[in-house]
């Protein structure tokens, strides 16, 4: 995955305003799941998060936790 695409994924997951350590954890939490289930999804407008949520049952536990924490914010 290109660095630009990965950076866009990080923004789509919503780690803006988070602590640096938390941002690093979130950045990698859903990368493999994104590559597997949502690689063709264009970032923006919440499309990546929506795609990941549609695949919720198949996601890694770590990615599920990141998505759940986004809902609480």
């Amino acid at each position: 995955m290109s660095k630009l695409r990965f950076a866009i994924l990080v923004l789509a997951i919503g780690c803006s305003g988070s602590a640096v350590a938390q941002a690093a954890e979130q950045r990698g939490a859903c990368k493999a799941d994104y590559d597997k289930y949502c690689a063709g999804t264009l970032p923006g407008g919440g499309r990546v998060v929506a795609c990941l949520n549609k695949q919720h049952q198949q996601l890694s536990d770590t990615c599920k936790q990141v998505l759940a924490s986004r809902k609480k914010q």
Side-chain angles (χ1 to χ4, degrees):
M1 176 188 312
S2 73
K3 289 181 181 181
L4 175 60
R5 211 164 166 191
F6 185 71
I8 292 170
L9 173 63
V10 169
L11 292 174
I13 292 179
C15 65
S16 62
S18 297
V20 174
Q22 183 180 5
E25 180 182 326
Q26 288 179 341
R27 187 177 4 213
C30 294
K31 183 184 181 313
D33 295 309
Y34 171 81
D35 289 343
K36 187 172 183 178
Y37 302 112
C38 301
T41 303
L42 295 174
R47 289 185 290 264
V48 171
V49 173
C51 177
L52 290 171
N53 281 324
K54 286 180 186 177
Q55 303 297 329
H56 188 77
Q57 294 299 320
Q58 290 82 7
L59 299 178
S60 66
D61 290 337
T62 307
C63 186
K64 287 178 184 178
Q65 290 172 355
V66 168
L67 293 173
S69 70
R70 283 183 42 81
K71 291 179 183 178
K72 293 177 184 177
Q73 294 177 354

